Amino acid sequence: MIKNTSQIDVQNLTIGYDDYVLMKNISFTVNKGDIFIVMGGSGCGKSTLLHVLTGLKAPKSGKILIDGLNFASASAEQKKDLMRHCGILYQSGALFSSMTLAENIALPLQQYTDYSDKLIKELVSLKLSLVGLAGFEDFYPSEISGGMKKRAGLARALALDPEILYCDEPSAGLDPISSKLLDDLILDINKSLGTTFVIVTHELASIFAVGNNSIFLDSGSKSIKGQGDPKELLKNPPNDIVYNFLTRGEKEHG
């Protein structure tokens, strides 16, 4: 796995809605092979930041350099080419209910490649196998559990072998066992494929289990209050805000 080679450089980024600013002039770097966690309290702008990073929303100002190209000001064609190398796992899994798992996962392959139907079928089976869903090709989303839906969503996000995988609250709504299985899967994919993950989450168990780099967004100051490995931030908290967030589980159960 390649480490400490910059893949995403965010420089002086300001995000928000209309006249309202969520985060102002924030800067951070995601290295190749990172499992990068975006954390913070409710309403701080975590999901909005993810929408800006993936081109679903424009930033108010600032740069997002992906492999050196400014994604924020790129042309539509350049953005499409960059996103061809990225995958997105939405919070709900966002599977089409009227399509089987195989049909869901085949969709990006049909849209972005000229692969034959036979090759697409083989790749779909491979991706489902990768996430532990071999043999579930003909199942519909309504016929599988919440954890399996997340894994199927992950298989679709991996369909085009992305270099970067963005995940919005992947563990949301899952029981602890399903959540741990998903965390283990993310670690396996990161280790075996070298995929860079950018994960928005507030789940402490997942943050400590998978994250090796992170930022903490603070809604009060509209800035980043902590950066680095979450485990190191817990050992040497930069401030009370980050410490209280990372130890809230102990307080809730203490």
Side-chain angles (χ1 to χ4, degrees):
M1 192 189 304
I2 303 168
K3 282 287 184 188
N4 300 321
T5 304
S6 169
Q7 190 158 33
I8 304 171
D9 272 311
V10 172
Q11 301 174 0
N12 300 313
L13 192 71
T14 296
I15 61 172
Y17 292 91
D18 300 322
D19 294 331
Y20 185 74
V21 172
L22 281 163
M23 285 288 136
K24 189 173 183 180
N25 296 329
I26 61 171
S27 299
F28 60 91
T29 298
V30 180
N31 296 312
K32 284 186 179 178
D34 270 354
I35 299 181
F36 188 92
I37 306 293
V38 179
M39 56 186 176
S42 297
C44 67
K46 300 187 297 294
S47 290
T48 303
L49 176 59
L50 199 69
H51 292 162
V52 170
L53 292 176
T54 55
L56 293 174
K57 180 171 176 52
K60 287 182 170 294
S61 62
K63 293 181 178 179
I64 302 164
L65 302 177
I66 301 179
D67 292 329
L69 179 68
N70 187 5
F71 185 68
S73 63
S75 68
E77 196 59 37
Q78 286 173 318
K79 282 185 177 179
K80 185 179 177 183
D81 187 54
L82 271 174
M83 288 310 295
R84 163 72 175 77
H85 302 288
C86 301
I88 305 174
L89 175 60
Y90 297 99
Q91 192 172 138
S92 63
L95 298 169
F96 292 102
S97 59
S98 61
M99 301 168 73
T100 65
L101 299 192
E103 289 167 342
N104 267 284
I105 294 153
L107 205 57
L109 292 163
Q110 291 162 345
Q111 287 179 325
Y112 291 100
T113 74
D114 55 4
Y115 295 161
S116 68
D117 289 345
K118 182 174 182 292
L119 180 56
I120 287 175
K121 188 176 180 181
E122 289 172 0
L123 287 170
V124 165
S125 292
L126 179 67
K127 300 304 177 187
L128 281 171
S129 178
L130 185 66
V131 301
L133 291 174
F136 283 84
E137 284 84 349
D138 297 327
F139 280 66
Y140 286 88
S142 61
E143 298 175 316
I144 59 176
S145 69
M148 292 166 80
K149 284 178 190 172
K150 289 288 177 80
R151 282 188 276 148
L154 187 55
R156 187 176 62 186
L158 288 166
L160 295 168
D161 297 320
E163 295 172 22
I164 304 169
L165 192 50
Y166 298 97
C167 304
D168 188 8
E169 297 281 6
S171 301
L174 297 184
D175 62 85
I177 294 171
S178 297
S179 183
K180 185 183 184 304
L181 287 171
L182 192 63
D183 287 343
D184 291 344
L185 185 56
I186 287 169
L187 287 168
D188 286 345
I189 290 166
N190 172 257
K191 187 176 179 181
S192 59
L193 303 179
T195 309
T196 300
F197 282 83
V198 178
I199 302 175
V200 166
T201 185
H202 65 276
E203 303 279 350
L204 287 178
S206 294
I207 288 168
F208 292 125
V210 303
N212 74 305
N213 198 358
S214 71
I215 52 172
F216 181 90
L217 303 182
D218 173 51
S219 58
S221 61
K222 302 185 190 300
S223 67
I224 292 172
K225 282 291 190 180
Q227 294 194 47
D229 187 319
K231 292 177 280 295
E232 291 302 316
L233 290 177
L234 179 61
K235 282 183 191 172
N236 301 293
N239 49 64
D240 287 346
I241 295 171
V242 172
Y243 176 76
N244 288 336
F245 179 87
L246 292 176
T247 59
R248 71 187 194 279
E250 297 168 19
K251 291 166 184 170
E252 285 166 7
H253 300 105

